[in-house]
mmCIF file of all heavy atoms in Angstrom:
data_model
loop_
_atom_site.group_PDB
_atom_site.id
_atom_site.type_symbol
_atom_site.label_atom_id
_atom_site.label_comp_id
_atom_site.label_asym_id
_atom_site.label_seq_id
_atom_site.Cartn_x
_atom_site.Cartn_y
_atom_site.Cartn_z
ATOM 1 N N HIS A 24 53.498 -23.106 -90.568
ATOM 2 C CA HIS A 24 54.719 -22.419 -91.019
ATOM 3 C C HIS A 24 54.380 -21.591 -92.262
ATOM 4 O O HIS A 24 53.446 -21.924 -92.990
ATOM 5 C CB HIS A 24 55.751 -23.506 -91.349
ATOM 6 C CG HIS A 24 57.105 -23.018 -91.704
ATOM 7 N ND1 HIS A 24 57.420 -22.551 -92.962
ATOM 8 C CD2 HIS A 24 58.249 -22.947 -90.983
ATOM 9 C CE1 HIS A 24 58.702 -22.215 -93.001
ATOM 10 N NE2 HIS A 24 59.231 -22.448 -91.814
ATOM 11 N N ILE A 25 55.133 -20.521 -92.513
ATOM 12 C CA ILE A 25 54.804 -19.712 -93.698
ATOM 13 C C ILE A 25 54.986 -20.505 -94.983
ATOM 14 O O ILE A 25 54.381 -20.174 -96.004
ATOM 15 C CB ILE A 25 55.611 -18.393 -93.768
ATOM 16 C CG1 ILE A 25 57.117 -18.651 -93.730
ATOM 17 C CG2 ILE A 25 55.167 -17.423 -92.712
ATOM 18 C CD1 ILE A 25 57.922 -17.461 -94.199
ATOM 19 N N GLY A 26 55.803 -21.580 -94.935
ATOM 20 C CA GLY A 26 55.899 -22.461 -96.102
ATOM 21 C C GLY A 26 54.559 -23.100 -96.396
ATOM 22 O O GLY A 26 54.165 -23.257 -97.558
ATOM 23 N N GLY A 27 53.842 -23.462 -95.341
ATOM 24 C CA GLY A 27 52.497 -24.024 -95.499
ATOM 25 C C GLY A 27 51.520 -22.987 -96.020
ATOM 26 O O GLY A 27 50.670 -23.294 -96.864
ATOM 27 N N VAL A 28 51.641 -21.756 -95.536
ATOM 28 C CA VAL A 28 50.767 -20.678 -96.024
ATOM 29 C C VAL A 28 51.017 -20.462 -97.514
ATOM 30 O O VAL A 28 50.086 -20.269 -98.290
ATOM 31 C CB VAL A 28 51.003 -19.367 -95.245
ATOM 32 C CG1 VAL A 28 50.068 -18.275 -95.755
ATOM 33 C CG2 VAL A 28 50.793 -19.569 -93.744
ATOM 34 N N ARG A 29 52.308 -20.504 -97.923
ATOM 35 C CA ARG A 29 52.611 -20.326 -99.346
ATOM 36 C C ARG A 29 51.978 -21.442 -100.177
ATOM 37 O O ARG A 29 51.430 -21.202 -101.260
ATOM 38 C CB ARG A 29 54.118 -20.301 -99.585
ATOM 39 C CG ARG A 29 54.461 -19.999 -101.042
ATOM 40 C CD ARG A 29 55.885 -20.329 -101.387
ATOM 41 N NE ARG A 29 56.194 -21.747 -101.191
ATOM 42 C CZ ARG A 29 57.341 -22.302 -101.545
ATOM 43 N NH1 ARG A 29 58.294 -21.574 -102.097
ATOM 44 N NH2 ARG A 29 57.562 -23.589 -101.335
ATOM 45 N N THR A 30 52.034 -22.689 -99.680
ATOM 46 C CA THR A 30 51.403 -23.804 -100.407
ATOM 47 C C THR A 30 49.906 -23.558 -100.555
ATOM 48 O O THR A 30 49.339 -23.755 -101.632
ATOM 49 C CB THR A 30 51.657 -25.134 -99.666
ATOM 50 O OG1 THR A 30 53.067 -25.366 -99.598
ATOM 51 C CG2 THR A 30 50.989 -26.302 -100.374
ATOM 52 N N ALA A 31 49.273 -23.118 -99.461
ATOM 53 C CA ALA A 31 47.840 -22.809 -99.520
ATOM 54 C C ALA A 31 47.583 -21.696 -100.528
ATOM 55 O O ALA A 31 46.639 -21.767 -101.337
ATOM 56 C CB ALA A 31 47.344 -22.394 -98.133
ATOM 57 N N LEU A 32 48.426 -20.666 -100.498
ATOM 58 C CA LEU A 32 48.255 -19.523 -101.402
ATOM 59 C C LEU A 32 48.361 -19.949 -102.860
ATOM 60 O O LEU A 32 47.512 -19.589 -103.682
ATOM 61 C CB LEU A 32 49.315 -18.461 -101.095
ATOM 62 C CG LEU A 32 49.400 -17.285 -102.076
ATOM 63 C CD1 LEU A 32 48.114 -16.464 -102.036
ATOM 64 C CD2 LEU A 32 50.606 -16.402 -101.758
ATOM 65 N N PHE A 33 49.384 -20.750 -103.202
ATOM 66 C CA PHE A 33 49.562 -21.158 -104.595
ATOM 67 C C PHE A 33 48.394 -22.033 -105.058
ATOM 68 O O PHE A 33 47.961 -21.937 -106.211
ATOM 69 C CB PHE A 33 50.894 -21.893 -104.773
ATOM 70 C CG PHE A 33 52.103 -20.974 -104.828
ATOM 71 C CD1 PHE A 33 52.046 -19.693 -104.316
ATOM 72 C CD2 PHE A 33 53.290 -21.395 -105.383
ATOM 73 C CE1 PHE A 33 53.150 -18.834 -104.353
ATOM 74 C CE2 PHE A 33 54.408 -20.558 -105.444
ATOM 75 C CZ PHE A 33 54.331 -19.277 -104.919
ATOM 76 N N ASN A 34 47.894 -22.884 -104.179
ATOM 77 C CA ASN A 34 46.702 -23.674 -104.513
ATOM 78 C C ASN A 34 45.506 -22.766 -104.764
ATOM 79 O O ASN A 34 44.757 -22.944 -105.729
ATOM 80 C CB ASN A 34 46.391 -24.667 -103.391
ATOM 81 C CG ASN A 34 47.153 -25.971 -103.510
ATOM 82 O OD1 ASN A 34 46.776 -26.853 -104.269
ATOM 83 N ND2 ASN A 34 48.247 -26.087 -102.778
ATOM 84 N N TYR A 35 45.325 -21.800 -103.874
ATOM 85 C CA TYR A 35 44.197 -20.859 -104.000
ATOM 86 C C TYR A 35 44.299 -20.074 -105.301
ATOM 87 O O TYR A 35 43.319 -19.955 -106.050
ATOM 88 C CB TYR A 35 44.205 -19.913 -102.795
ATOM 89 C CG TYR A 35 43.192 -18.794 -102.884
ATOM 90 C CD1 TYR A 35 41.876 -18.989 -102.477
ATOM 91 C CD2 TYR A 35 43.539 -17.552 -103.402
ATOM 92 C CE1 TYR A 35 40.938 -17.971 -102.570
ATOM 93 C CE2 TYR A 35 42.616 -16.522 -103.510
ATOM 94 C CZ TYR A 35 41.316 -16.739 -103.088
ATOM 95 O OH TYR A 35 40.395 -15.720 -103.199
ATOM 96 N N LEU A 36 45.491 -19.534 -105.590
ATOM 97 C CA LEU A 36 45.671 -18.723 -106.802
ATOM 98 C C LEU A 36 45.377 -19.541 -108.054
ATOM 99 O O LEU A 36 44.712 -19.069 -108.983
ATOM 100 C CB LEU A 36 47.105 -18.177 -106.870
ATOM 101 C CG LEU A 36 47.519 -17.184 -105.777
ATOM 102 C CD1 LEU A 36 48.987 -16.810 -105.930
ATOM 103 C CD2 LEU A 36 46.638 -15.952 -105.787
ATOM 104 N N PHE A 37 45.877 -20.782 -108.064
ATOM 105 C CA PHE A 37 45.664 -21.639 -109.229
ATOM 106 C C PHE A 37 44.177 -21.949 -109.413
ATOM 107 O O PHE A 37 43.644 -21.887 -110.528
ATOM 108 C CB PHE A 37 46.459 -22.938 -109.077
ATOM 109 C CG PHE A 37 46.395 -23.823 -110.285
ATOM 110 C CD1 PHE A 37 47.166 -23.557 -111.406
ATOM 111 C CD2 PHE A 37 45.541 -24.923 -110.315
ATOM 112 C CE1 PHE A 37 47.092 -24.376 -112.540
ATOM 113 C CE2 PHE A 37 45.457 -25.732 -111.432
ATOM 114 C CZ PHE A 37 46.241 -25.457 -112.549
ATOM 115 N N ALA A 38 43.505 -22.270 -108.302
ATOM 116 C CA ALA A 38 42.071 -22.587 -108.375
ATOM 117 C C ALA A 38 41.278 -21.399 -108.904
ATOM 118 O O ALA A 38 40.449 -21.535 -109.809
ATOM 119 C CB ALA A 38 41.556 -23.005 -107.002
ATOM 120 N N LYS A 39 41.535 -20.219 -108.331
ATOM 121 C CA LYS A 39 40.757 -19.039 -108.724
ATOM 122 C C LYS A 39 41.071 -18.607 -110.154
ATOM 123 O O LYS A 39 40.194 -18.118 -110.868
ATOM 124 C CB LYS A 39 41.015 -17.880 -107.752
ATOM 125 C CG LYS A 39 40.576 -18.181 -106.320
ATOM 126 C CD LYS A 39 39.123 -18.624 -106.262
ATOM 127 C CE LYS A 39 38.878 -19.699 -105.232
ATOM 128 N NZ LYS A 39 37.552 -20.285 -105.281
ATOM 129 N N LYS A 40 42.340 -18.783 -110.566
ATOM 130 C CA LYS A 40 42.734 -18.429 -111.938
ATOM 131 C C LYS A 40 41.911 -19.231 -112.948
ATOM 132 O O LYS A 40 41.546 -18.743 -114.016
ATOM 133 C CB LYS A 40 44.239 -18.732 -112.107
ATOM 134 C CG LYS A 40 44.785 -18.608 -113.529
ATOM 135 C CD LYS A 40 44.946 -17.142 -113.917
ATOM 136 C CE LYS A 40 45.542 -16.996 -115.308
ATOM 137 N NZ LYS A 40 47.003 -17.089 -115.291
ATOM 138 N N HIS A 41 41.604 -20.494 -112.589
ATOM 139 C CA HIS A 41 40.904 -21.382 -113.522
ATOM 140 C C HIS A 41 39.441 -21.605 -113.136
ATOM 141 O O HIS A 41 38.815 -22.553 -113.616
ATOM 142 C CB HIS A 41 41.654 -22.714 -113.612
ATOM 143 C CG HIS A 41 43.045 -22.553 -114.154
ATOM 144 N ND1 HIS A 41 43.295 -22.271 -115.477
ATOM 145 C CD2 HIS A 41 44.263 -22.603 -113.538
ATOM 146 C CE1 HIS A 41 44.601 -22.161 -115.669
ATOM 147 N NE2 HIS A 41 45.216 -22.354 -114.515
ATOM 148 N N GLY A 42 38.916 -20.730 -112.274
ATOM 149 C CA GLY A 42 37.507 -20.847 -111.888
ATOM 150 C C GLY A 42 37.210 -22.133 -111.155
ATOM 151 O O GLY A 42 36.110 -22.690 -111.264
ATOM 152 N N GLY A 43 38.211 -22.642 -110.416
ATOM 153 C CA GLY A 43 38.070 -23.932 -109.741
ATOM 154 C C GLY A 43 37.740 -23.839 -108.268
ATOM 155 O O GLY A 43 37.315 -22.792 -107.767
ATOM 156 N N THR A 44 37.958 -24.948 -107.572
ATOM 157 C CA THR A 44 37.584 -25.082 -106.164
ATOM 158 C C THR A 44 38.823 -25.338 -105.321
ATOM 159 O O THR A 44 39.665 -26.179 -105.663
ATOM 160 C CB THR A 44 36.604 -26.269 -105.995
ATOM 161 O OG1 THR A 44 35.464 -26.030 -106.823
ATOM 162 C CG2 THR A 44 36.144 -26.404 -104.548
ATOM 163 N N PHE A 45 38.907 -24.606 -104.200
ATOM 164 C CA PHE A 45 40.021 -24.741 -103.258
ATOM 165 C C PHE A 45 39.502 -25.454 -102.012
ATOM 166 O O PHE A 45 38.590 -24.976 -101.350
ATOM 167 C CB PHE A 45 40.581 -23.360 -102.914
ATOM 168 C CG PHE A 45 41.632 -23.355 -101.837
ATOM 169 C CD1 PHE A 45 42.703 -24.231 -101.876
ATOM 170 C CD2 PHE A 45 41.557 -22.456 -100.779
ATOM 171 C CE1 PHE A 45 43.686 -24.218 -100.889
ATOM 172 C CE2 PHE A 45 42.527 -22.423 -99.790
ATOM 173 C CZ PHE A 45 43.587 -23.310 -99.836
ATOM 174 N N VAL A 46 40.077 -26.623 -101.734
ATOM 175 C CA VAL A 46 39.603 -27.477 -100.636
ATOM 176 C C VAL A 46 40.622 -27.464 -99.492
ATOM 177 O O VAL A 46 41.827 -27.558 -99.722
ATOM 178 C CB VAL A 46 39.421 -28.939 -101.127
ATOM 179 C CG1 VAL A 46 38.968 -29.851 -99.984
ATOM 180 C CG2 VAL A 46 38.437 -28.992 -102.296
ATOM 181 N N LEU A 47 40.127 -27.364 -98.261
ATOM 182 C CA LEU A 47 40.973 -27.563 -97.080
ATOM 183 C C LEU A 47 40.651 -28.935 -96.504
ATOM 184 O O LEU A 47 39.491 -29.226 -96.192
ATOM 185 C CB LEU A 47 40.714 -26.494 -96.018
ATOM 186 C CG LEU A 47 41.443 -26.718 -94.675
ATOM 187 C CD1 LEU A 47 42.954 -26.591 -94.833
ATOM 188 C CD2 LEU A 47 40.941 -25.746 -93.610
ATOM 189 N N ARG A 48 41.679 -29.782 -96.410
ATOM 190 C CA ARG A 48 41.493 -31.110 -95.818
ATOM 191 C C ARG A 48 42.478 -31.253 -94.658
ATOM 192 O O ARG A 48 43.673 -31.023 -94.820
ATOM 193 C CB ARG A 48 41.753 -32.190 -96.873
ATOM 194 C CG ARG A 48 41.453 -33.593 -96.362
ATOM 195 C CD ARG A 48 41.537 -34.603 -97.496
ATOM 196 N NE ARG A 48 42.889 -34.910 -97.906
ATOM 197 C CZ ARG A 48 43.296 -34.962 -99.182
ATOM 198 N NH1 ARG A 48 42.454 -34.701 -100.161
ATOM 199 N NH2 ARG A 48 44.550 -35.267 -99.476
ATOM 200 N N ILE A 49 41.979 -31.607 -93.505
ATOM 201 C CA ILE A 49 42.828 -31.757 -92.329
ATOM 202 C C ILE A 49 43.296 -33.202 -92.236
ATOM 203 O O ILE A 49 42.494 -34.124 -92.057
ATOM 204 C CB ILE A 49 42.065 -31.354 -91.038
ATOM 205 C CG1 ILE A 49 41.565 -29.903 -91.137
ATOM 206 C CG2 ILE A 49 42.954 -31.544 -89.818
ATOM 207 C CD1 ILE A 49 42.656 -28.858 -91.246
ATOM 208 N N GLU A 50 44.605 -33.416 -92.378
ATOM 209 C CA GLU A 50 45.163 -34.773 -92.391
ATOM 210 C C GLU A 50 45.637 -35.136 -90.981
ATOM 211 O O GLU A 50 46.802 -34.947 -90.621
ATOM 212 C CB GLU A 50 46.276 -34.857 -93.431
ATOM 213 C CG GLU A 50 45.760 -34.497 -94.825
ATOM 214 C CD GLU A 50 46.536 -35.122 -95.957
ATOM 215 O OE1 GLU A 50 47.704 -35.463 -95.781
ATOM 216 O OE2 GLU A 50 45.943 -35.254 -97.055
ATOM 217 N N ASP A 51 44.704 -35.640 -90.203
ATOM 218 C CA ASP A 51 44.961 -35.912 -88.778
ATOM 219 C C ASP A 51 44.980 -37.406 -88.460
ATOM 220 O O ASP A 51 44.513 -37.832 -87.402
ATOM 221 C CB ASP A 51 43.921 -35.197 -87.907
ATOM 222 C CG ASP A 51 42.480 -35.594 -88.256
ATOM 223 O OD1 ASP A 51 42.290 -36.264 -89.299
ATOM 224 O OD2 ASP A 51 41.558 -35.245 -87.505
ATOM 225 N N THR A 52 45.526 -38.198 -89.381
ATOM 226 C CA THR A 52 45.574 -39.650 -89.125
ATOM 227 C C THR A 52 46.611 -39.990 -88.059
ATOM 228 O O THR A 52 46.510 -41.013 -87.397
ATOM 229 C CB THR A 52 45.905 -40.429 -90.413
ATOM 230 O OG1 THR A 52 47.068 -39.862 -91.006
ATOM 231 C CG2 THR A 52 44.751 -40.362 -91.403
ATOM 232 N N ASP A 53 47.638 -39.136 -87.901
ATOM 233 C CA ASP A 53 48.680 -39.388 -86.898
ATOM 234 C C ASP A 53 48.250 -38.768 -85.573
ATOM 235 O O ASP A 53 48.597 -37.637 -85.241
ATOM 236 C CB ASP A 53 50.017 -38.808 -87.358
ATOM 237 C CG ASP A 53 51.177 -39.278 -86.483
ATOM 238 O OD1 ASP A 53 50.905 -39.780 -85.371
ATOM 239 O OD2 ASP A 53 52.346 -39.130 -86.898
ATOM 240 N N GLN A 54 47.476 -39.548 -84.812
ATOM 241 C CA GLN A 54 46.916 -39.035 -83.560
ATOM 242 C C GLN A 54 47.991 -38.796 -82.491
ATOM 243 O O GLN A 54 47.790 -38.008 -81.569
ATOM 244 C CB GLN A 54 45.841 -39.993 -83.028
ATOM 245 C CG GLN A 54 44.586 -40.027 -83.885
ATOM 246 C CD GLN A 54 43.844 -38.689 -83.917
ATOM 247 O OE1 GLN A 54 43.449 -38.161 -82.894
ATOM 248 N NE2 GLN A 54 43.685 -38.121 -85.111
ATOM 249 N N ASN A 55 49.126 -39.476 -82.605
ATOM 250 C CA ASN A 55 50.197 -39.277 -81.619
ATOM 251 C C ASN A 55 50.791 -37.873 -81.706
ATOM 252 O O ASN A 55 51.289 -37.343 -80.711
ATOM 253 C CB ASN A 55 51.331 -40.305 -81.840
ATOM 254 C CG ASN A 55 50.866 -41.709 -81.508
ATOM 255 O OD1 ASN A 55 50.046 -41.908 -80.612
ATOM 256 N ND2 ASN A 55 51.377 -42.695 -82.241
ATOM 257 N N ARG A 56 50.754 -37.281 -82.884
ATOM 258 C CA ARG A 56 51.350 -35.951 -83.074
ATOM 259 C C ARG A 56 50.302 -34.841 -83.099
ATOM 260 O O ARG A 56 50.634 -33.673 -83.295
ATOM 261 C CB ARG A 56 52.165 -35.929 -84.376
ATOM 262 C CG ARG A 56 53.361 -36.883 -84.346
ATOM 263 C CD ARG A 56 54.110 -36.850 -85.671
ATOM 264 N NE ARG A 56 54.650 -35.531 -85.944
ATOM 265 C CZ ARG A 56 54.648 -34.935 -87.142
ATOM 266 N NH1 ARG A 56 54.134 -35.566 -88.191
ATOM 267 N NH2 ARG A 56 55.161 -33.732 -87.303
ATOM 268 N N TYR A 57 49.040 -35.211 -82.894
ATOM 269 C CA TYR A 57 47.956 -34.216 -82.929
ATOM 270 C C TYR A 57 48.139 -33.188 -81.812
ATOM 271 O O TYR A 57 48.429 -33.532 -80.668
ATOM 272 C CB TYR A 57 46.604 -34.917 -82.781
ATOM 273 C CG TYR A 57 45.435 -33.962 -82.744
ATOM 274 C CD1 TYR A 57 44.897 -33.452 -83.920
ATOM 275 C CD2 TYR A 57 44.873 -33.561 -81.532
ATOM 276 C CE1 TYR A 57 43.823 -32.574 -83.894
ATOM 277 C CE2 TYR A 57 43.806 -32.685 -81.488
ATOM 278 C CZ TYR A 57 43.284 -32.180 -82.676
ATOM 279 O OH TYR A 57 42.232 -31.310 -82.645
ATOM 280 N N VAL A 58 47.993 -31.907 -82.152
ATOM 281 C CA VAL A 58 48.144 -30.829 -81.166
ATOM 282 C C VAL A 58 46.828 -30.071 -81.055
ATOM 283 O O VAL A 58 46.290 -29.576 -82.058
ATOM 284 C CB VAL A 58 49.281 -29.859 -81.577
ATOM 285 C CG1 VAL A 58 49.325 -28.648 -80.655
ATOM 286 C CG2 VAL A 58 50.625 -30.588 -81.560
ATOM 287 N N GLU A 59 46.315 -29.984 -79.845
ATOM 288 C CA GLU A 59 45.063 -29.267 -79.568
ATOM 289 C C GLU A 59 45.196 -27.816 -80.025
ATOM 290 O O GLU A 59 46.173 -27.144 -79.727
ATOM 291 C CB GLU A 59 44.762 -29.319 -78.067
ATOM 292 C CG GLU A 59 43.358 -28.858 -77.702
ATOM 293 C CD GLU A 59 42.281 -29.818 -78.196
ATOM 294 O OE1 GLU A 59 42.490 -31.040 -78.107
ATOM 295 O OE2 GLU A 59 41.244 -29.310 -78.680
ATOM 296 N N GLY A 60 44.209 -27.331 -80.756
ATOM 297 C CA GLY A 60 44.211 -25.932 -81.184
ATOM 298 C C GLY A 60 44.867 -25.698 -82.540
ATOM 299 O O GLY A 60 44.744 -24.618 -83.115
ATOM 300 N N ALA A 61 45.567 -26.707 -83.066
ATOM 301 C CA ALA A 61 46.295 -26.514 -84.332
ATOM 302 C C ALA A 61 45.335 -26.334 -85.514
ATOM 303 O O ALA A 61 45.583 -25.510 -86.400
ATOM 304 C CB ALA A 61 47.240 -27.678 -84.585
ATOM 305 N N GLU A 62 44.246 -27.096 -85.514
ATOM 306 C CA GLU A 62 43.298 -26.956 -86.631
ATOM 307 C C GLU A 62 42.667 -25.569 -86.635
ATOM 308 O O GLU A 62 42.561 -24.927 -87.687
ATOM 309 C CB GLU A 62 42.205 -28.027 -86.549
ATOM 310 C CG GLU A 62 41.225 -27.936 -87.706
ATOM 311 C CD GLU A 62 40.060 -28.914 -87.610
ATOM 312 O OE1 GLU A 62 40.269 -30.054 -87.144
ATOM 313 O OE2 GLU A 62 38.943 -28.527 -88.015
ATOM 314 N N ALA A 63 42.274 -25.096 -85.462
ATOM 315 C CA ALA A 63 41.685 -23.749 -85.360
ATOM 316 C C ALA A 63 42.692 -22.695 -85.829
ATOM 317 O O ALA A 63 42.337 -21.713 -86.488
ATOM 318 C CB ALA A 63 41.251 -23.471 -83.921
ATOM 319 N N TYR A 64 43.973 -22.918 -85.486
ATOM 320 C CA TYR A 64 45.033 -21.996 -85.891
ATOM 321 C C TYR A 64 45.145 -21.947 -87.420
ATOM 322 O O TYR A 64 45.256 -20.871 -88.010
ATOM 323 C CB TYR A 64 46.363 -22.463 -85.279
ATOM 324 C CG TYR A 64 47.553 -21.597 -85.631
ATOM 325 C CD1 TYR A 64 48.007 -20.619 -84.754
ATOM 326 C CD2 TYR A 64 48.231 -21.765 -86.840
ATOM 327 C CE1 TYR A 64 49.104 -19.817 -85.072
ATOM 328 C CE2 TYR A 64 49.322 -20.975 -87.167
ATOM 329 C CZ TYR A 64 49.753 -20.006 -86.284
ATOM 330 O OH TYR A 64 50.823 -19.214 -86.607
ATOM 331 N N ILE A 65 45.113 -23.112 -88.053
ATOM 332 C CA ILE A 65 45.209 -23.190 -89.519
ATOM 333 C C ILE A 65 44.079 -22.391 -90.164
ATOM 334 O O ILE A 65 44.306 -21.581 -91.076
ATOM 335 C CB ILE A 65 45.167 -24.663 -89.982
ATOM 336 C CG1 ILE A 65 46.451 -25.390 -89.557
ATOM 337 C CG2 ILE A 65 44.978 -24.757 -91.495
ATOM 338 C CD1 ILE A 65 46.356 -26.908 -89.615
ATOM 339 N N LYS A 66 42.868 -22.587 -89.674
ATOM 340 C CA LYS A 66 41.710 -21.879 -90.240
ATOM 341 C C LYS A 66 41.821 -20.374 -90.041
ATOM 342 O O LYS A 66 41.549 -19.587 -90.954
ATOM 343 C CB LYS A 66 40.418 -22.385 -89.583
ATOM 344 C CG LYS A 66 40.067 -23.827 -89.908
ATOM 345 C CD LYS A 66 38.800 -24.174 -89.142
ATOM 346 C CE LYS A 66 38.486 -25.646 -89.231
ATOM 347 N NZ LYS A 66 37.385 -26.012 -88.325
#
């Protein structure tokens, strides 16, 4: 969702502003709700 993109953007902006590191972590512990192709879509 674009709300998620905004969260990623604000994290990225904050990291780069302070010379830091922006990490992508895929939280896929809920295997019942896992959707094929969603991780590739996020990237």
Side-chain angles (χ1 to χ4, degrees):
H24 186 279
I25 56 163
V28 181
R29 185 196 60 173
T30 299
L32 172 65
F33 282 21
N34 274 279
Y35 173 85
L36 295 176
F37 185 78
K39 297 306 143 189
K40 172 75 178 276
H41 298 288
T44 302
F45 174 49
V46 178
L47 173 66
R48 185 172 75 226
I49 302 297
E50 302 206 336
D51 57 349
T52 51
D53 191 344
Q54 291 296 302
N55 292 327
R56 296 178 62 221
Y57 177 82
V58 173
E59 192 68 40
E62 181 184 323
Y64 180 98
I65 291 164
K66 293 178 189 171

